[in-house]
Amino acid sequence: KQWYQRRVRADAVRVVQCYSANNRVLKVEPDREFMLLPNNIQEVKIRFEPLDTGIKDYQVNIVDTKNRILLERWAVHTTSDLPIVSKTYDLARVPRSLHPSHSP
């Protein structure tokens, strides 16, 4: 799973937090509050972990938590497909009564 990086800059000292519109699918790090300092660059990492296939759009918001100001909003456009099946297996279920852990 690959992380994508974005850089954030602030015009003043700010305590901020990143929020994903769907944090089960779009992971953001740092995932807690952090401080932005003027003239410094902070890296924010985003990772996409799809739960289904298709094309979807998500938002990531960076909010000044003290002043409740939206500083940045990123649109994340995603595409996911089913994985390629390289091997298949036939599995047979063993009845519980024949399983070694259930022997008398």
Side-chain angles (χ1 to χ4, degrees):
K1 296 175 183 169
Q2 184 176 359
W3 287 95
Y4 300 94
Q5 297 179 7
R6 291 285 316 241
R7 292 186 175 147
V8 182
R9 223 182 267 243
D11 56 350
V13 176
R14 296 184 186 270
V15 177
V16 300
Q17 188 162 357
C18 298
Y19 297 94
S20 167
N22 186 337
N23 60 5
R24 290 180 58 210
V25 174
L26 212 60
K27 311 289 185 189
V28 180
E29 282 191 8
D31 59 354
R32 62 195 178 296
E33 287 186 337
F34 60 95
M35 187 173 292
L36 286 179
L37 301 172
N39 303 319
N40 284 347
I41 295 173
Q42 171 73 39
E43 283 191 355
V44 174
K45 297 179 183 179
I46 301 170
R47 183 172 67 200
F48 177 55
E49 297 178 357
L51 299 175
D52 54 6
T53 60
I55 298 171
K56 294 189 174 58
D57 294 314
Y58 299 97
Q59 289 181 5
V60 174
N61 298 313
I62 300 180
V63 177
D64 179 324
T65 55
K66 180 180 177 188
N67 301 312
R68 297 184 157 213
I69 298 171
L70 178 64
L71 297 177
E72 291 194 29
R73 174 178 286 159
W74 302 329
V76 181
H77 182 76
T78 64
T79 303
S80 59
D81 294 318
L82 291 173
I84 297 171
V85 177
S86 59
K87 291 184 180 182
T88 60
Y89 300 91
D90 290 328
L91 302 176
R93 187 171 183 182
V94 177
R96 272 195 121 159
S97 60
L98 298 177
H99 198 276
S101 65
H102 291 89
S103 298

